[in-house]
Amino acid sequence: DAAAFTFSGSSPARCTTEMRSANNPDNDNDCSTSRRSAFARIAGASSIILGINEPTIAGAVDDDGTRGGVVLTPFNSLTFNYRGGGFTGLDASTLDEPSVSFQEFLDKLGSDQVEFVEFLAPDGDAAYVTFKANAEGEKQKPIRIGEGFPIEQHDGWSSPAFVVKAVKKRGVPYKFTVPGLEVYKNM
């Protein structure tokens, strides 16, 4: 029971609900100038003109995650574009004092065994941790966090700020100290 559809002159007749089939109100075949079909024609023509194609399967498949033989990570990919991804932290052999590894520090931080952390200004590249008293109740002395500790690289990803964030998140007290300032406090 579709109404007759005719063209009068050069402009098509308007599409109305009466022109659609009573049995299938979603059928656009009864009205080739509906808004939906007009939009589809415009979108199709635009994509051809602009060269926009449907995404290909190859574009959606994850590759092996390497570029030029280098494995991509969030630190060396275009996501953050950090440089110096090969830096693995402080080398303990350069220190002339006792130290604990950064991994040991993190393990003890995670198991709530850290009492206090002191970072030396300006960047916090040197940090001393005081662990909680041992099983015998002996108070621990501060010790340098050494092997693997992230020192500041202003053009890279390494920074003691990540350590400060971890310490703060755990609720462990910390402070930044300017070396040599203690002399002036006692004057």
Side-chain angles (χ1 to χ4, degrees):
D1 293 312
F5 186 82
T6 60
F7 287 94
S8 59
S10 61
S11 63
R14 297 208 178 262
C15 179
T16 63
T17 54
E18 293 85 31
M19 292 180 183
R20 290 198 172 92
S21 169
N23 295 335
N24 189 3
D26 293 329
N27 185 3
D28 283 337
N29 293 333
D30 294 336
C31 185
S32 63
T33 58
S34 72
R35 283 185 226 144
R36 248 184 270 164
S37 64
F39 178 75
R41 286 185 195 148
I42 292 170
S46 299
S47 67
I48 291 170
I49 292 169
L50 296 175
I52 301 171
N53 297 324
E54 298 261 342
T56 62
I57 292 174
V61 174
D62 189 22
D63 60 8
D64 65 351
T66 62
R67 296 293 179 274
V70 177
V71 177
L72 296 179
T73 68
F75 293 117
N76 70 358
S77 67
L78 291 177
T79 306
F80 297 114
N81 199 20
Y82 289 131
R83 295 167 189 83
F87 179 70
T88 57
L90 182 65
D91 180 8
S93 66
T94 62
L95 300 178
D96 58 355
E97 59 187 323
S99 66
V100 296
S101 72
F102 183 54
Q103 186 59 53
E104 182 181 346
F105 164 74
L106 290 176
D107 292 342
K108 290 190 177 192
L109 181 66
S111 61
D112 197 35
Q113 296 177 32
V114 175
E115 184 176 313
F116 184 75
V117 180
E118 179 180 14
F119 298 93
L120 299 186
D123 293 325
D125 287 344
Y128 293 84
V129 59
T130 304
F131 295 116
K132 291 185 177 177
N134 60 17
E136 292 82 34
E138 296 174 357
K139 184 172 168 108
Q140 302 294 310
K141 292 182 179 181
I143 189 168
R144 175 88 181 259
I145 305 172
E147 186 70 36
F149 184 77
I151 59 173
E152 188 66 45
Q153 287 186 327
H154 297 285
D155 65 343
W157 63 269
S158 180
S159 174
F162 295 114
V163 182
V164 173
K165 182 179 179 181
V167 167
K168 185 176 181 179
K169 185 175 181 181
R170 285 296 200 172
V172 174
Y174 68 94
K175 73 176 180 177
F176 270 81
T177 302
V178 177
L181 209 61
E182 290 295 321
V183 174
Y184 294 104
K185 284 184 179 181
N186 296 328
M187 293 179 109

